[in-house]
Amino acid sequence: MNEEIEINNFPEYIKNSGGSMDENSFLQFPESLGTGYLKIIKPLPQLSIMLQHYELKKRLVIKRSKHEFSKSILIFSFRNVIMGKRNTQQKLSFSYMPSVQVSTSDMTLDIEVPGLFETSNIIVGIEAGYLQQLLEKDGNNRLTELVTKKEQSFLYEEIVSPKIQLVASEIFQIPATHHLANFYYKIKAEELIFLFLENLLQREELPKYPIHTSDVTAVYALREELLNNLNEPPQLAILATRANMSVSKLGKIFRQIFGDSIYNYYQKLRMQEAAFLLREEKLSVSEVGYQLGFSNLSHFTRLFEKHIGVKPKKYSKMN
């Protein structure tokens, strides 16, 4: 049975389960839960950072409830930023994939944490007013209005970029006892936010379609379905019926959250899985292509190069 906890009480949950705080202010996981630690840093009153590096013995579903300060706090979640190795027996899920998610803190979300999977996450909370001050100095009114509007809830997600993975790995490398650690964490957390916003600005449009928790839940369930059927193109009418939405509304909300159409995002997912199969499973290019539903390997090669940056054969030799 899945165990559910609230993310705001996650450190307390670890303590109550027998976790202990060491001399470096790391909250160590008790052996009964798994291995790893959480560390909470607050370099500024307007900025908080939680570093998470652990491997749980059992799967958890964390319930992130509405924050008491509602939309005045923005939550940036950089998940699986240092890629753990997925066991070949573990079912493919977004729980294993590197992603960046930003939302107003009034969004209630279910966060699945898989068992027997080493994960590294960085959760950054920043006051909307503080971020607004930083953005206004650049005069980017379009972006400022989008991510700091107090009257509208939002959620955006991106697949982690190599730049974000690099900065994240640097954050985990600095010793907590370093005499400039808090200063360093502040700079790097703001750099992560910068990189996410830079990616966000590359979207063709930054929509302002009203979004609710029920919409997010439905769209995330459909996204998981896409991932479980990578060898079959999505049927929009069927997906919309399952989400209890019109095709038009589903397309708008999906594009708003993920920055792409359902079909294009599906192709991105196929190429992410293709990269995993080449890297971790050591399958041949033809085996990967056929497993993901490609009858034309030339088309698979072109699509892989478009999304990953190199041809699949070359990629397989790089790892």
Side-chain angles (χ1 to χ4, degrees), residues 53-227:
H53 180 80
Y54 54 82
E55 181 175 324
L56 298 177
K57 289 185 176 180
K58 295 188 296 185
R59 174 180 175 270
L60 292 178
V61 176
I62 302 173
K63 302 286 287 187
R64 198 190 87 181
S65 60
K66 291 185 179 182
H67 195 284
E68 61 178 313
F69 298 112
S70 190
K71 300 180 184 67
S72 65
I73 302 292
L74 305 181
I75 308 296
F76 288 78
S77 299
F78 300 85
R79 298 194 171 277
N80 298 318
V81 286
I82 301 176
M83 279 293 289
K85 288 195 174 184
R86 188 178 100 215
N87 188 299
T88 54
Q89 279 73 48
Q90 290 171 319
K91 182 181 177 183
L92 182 59
S93 166
F94 281 96
S95 306
Y96 305 112
M97 297 182 68
S99 64
V100 188
Q101 185 186 80
V102 59
S103 69
T104 46
S105 53
D106 62 329
M107 297 293 298
T108 57
L109 299 170
D110 288 356
I111 302 166
E112 181 181 328
V113 183
L116 304 178
F117 178 74
E118 185 178 7
T119 183
S120 298
N121 309 317
I122 302 173
I123 314 300
V124 181
I126 185 170
E127 287 190 6
Y130 176 64
L131 181 58
Q132 184 174 351
Q133 290 176 12
L134 296 176
L135 293 174
E136 284 178 344
K137 292 181 180 179
D138 288 322
N140 195 322
N141 296 329
R142 180 164 160 258
L143 184 57
T144 302
E145 181 184 6
L146 187 69
V147 298
T148 62
K149 285 182 65 176
K150 290 189 173 68
E151 68 275 13
Q152 184 169 306
S153 302
F154 64 79
L155 183 147
Y156 305 115
E157 184 169 316
E158 295 273 345
I159 294 173
V160 162
S161 69
K163 286 184 179 178
I164 287 176
Q165 286 181 308
L166 177 61
V167 173
S169 66
E170 292 171 347
I171 290 176
F172 280 101
Q173 288 171 11
I174 187 171
T177 53
H178 193 285
H179 56 282
L180 290 174
N182 280 345
F183 183 55
Y184 182 84
Y185 290 137
K186 171 188 176 294
I187 292 171
K188 289 298 181 180
E190 292 180 350
E191 186 176 0
L192 286 175
I193 292 174
F194 161 78
L195 290 171
F196 174 84
L197 296 178
E198 188 177 46
N199 289 340
L200 193 64
L201 282 173
Q202 293 176 8
R203 295 187 177 187
E204 293 180 3
E205 57 179 321
L206 299 179
K208 302 173 185 176
Y209 196 80
I211 192 166
H212 305 284
T213 298
S214 58
D215 297 330
V216 173
T217 301
V219 168
Y220 270 66
L222 291 181
R223 186 183 69 161
E224 196 72 36
E225 188 174 330
L226 290 181
L227 194 63

Side-chain angles (χ1 to χ4, degrees), residues 33-52:
L33 292 182
T35 59
Y37 65 84
L38 300 186
K39 180 173 176 59
I40 300 174
I41 308 114
K42 200 166 179 63
L44 289 175
Q46 308 95 329
L47 181 70
S48 62
I49 306 161
M50 181 186 290
L51 303 183
Q52 305 178 348

